[in-house]
Amino acid sequence: MYKTNMKKYHTIVALVLLSYSCTTAEIPEAASITIDRKVTYERDIKPIMYTNCLTCHSAVNPRNGLILETYQQVKASASTGTLIQRMNDAANPMPQGGLLTPDKRALVDKWKSDGYLEN
Ligand code: HEC
């Protein structure tokens, strides 16, 4: 009886911890990366987009119609679209080849919390 209850208890604790770790940070493994400066589109985000996304999301044949060439386009996809979600979804990542490194994804996360600054 006691053993069964302890098992249940452990399962509940594990589930609580699991859901907690998934909701506290956009990027679990990048949560430990501290960026102690403001992140801007021009300096940090644009190079990530141009290097990793524009092969498929430029104005020429944009996949899914999604263009990520300008500040406004990237900001729109990050704030009202699924850009940040997809960049952190290991099961359905963008780029399709696999998740970018945690430091790059942490920059996008910080860009969001800084309020999507342009410069
Ligand atoms: C090799 C081509 C390719 C690359 C590189 C690529 N994408 Fe995509 N992307 C696609 C395709 C194809 C779709 C539509 C199918 C899907 O949603 O998986 C898509 C869909 C998306 C979507 C969801 C659909 C939408 O309209 O909002 C987002 C957001 C996105 N991509 C963002 C990115 C970002 C950000 C990068 C770079 C970090 C990136 N993609 C790199 C091919 C690519």
Side-chain angles (χ1 to χ4, degrees):
M1 188 60 192
Y2 173 75
K3 265 192 173 168
T4 319
N5 280 337
M6 281 308 280
K7 253 190 196 164
K8 266 189 195 158
Y9 175 72
H10 282 141
T11 308
I12 290 166
V13 168
L15 286 175
V16 167
L17 286 176
L18 195 68
S19 57
Y20 182 74
S21 67
C22 290
T23 51
T24 47
E26 210 98 47
I27 312 162
E29 77 273 33
S32 58
I33 297 176
T34 309
I35 304 169
D36 50 9
R37 62 176 177 80
K38 296 284 185 197
V39 167
T40 69
Y41 171 76
E42 282 296 332
R43 170 173 163 174
D44 306 291
I45 306 303
K46 189 177 177 180
I48 296 175
M49 295 299 129
Y50 274 68
T51 309
N52 303 285
C53 314
L54 287 199
T55 43
C56 301
H57 293 290
S58 71
V60 181
N61 185 23
R63 308 299 193 280
N64 223 49
L66 178 67
I67 305 174
L68 298 172
E69 281 183 358
T70 68
Y71 166 71
Q72 290 299 340
Q73 289 163 343
V74 178
K75 181 186 173 188
S77 184
S79 59
T80 63
T82 57
L83 185 145
I84 294 178
Q85 190 189 316
R86 292 295 300 272
M87 284 188 74
N88 293 289
D89 186 349
N92 194 17
M94 275 299 139
Q96 293 168 314
L99 294 178
L100 297 182
T101 53
D103 60 315
K104 290 199 186 74
R105 288 180 288 128
L107 279 171
V108 178
D109 208 27
K110 181 76 165 37
W111 186 50
K112 174 185 176 180
S113 58
D114 284 346
Y116 304 111
L117 301 169
E118 182 168 11
N119 293 295

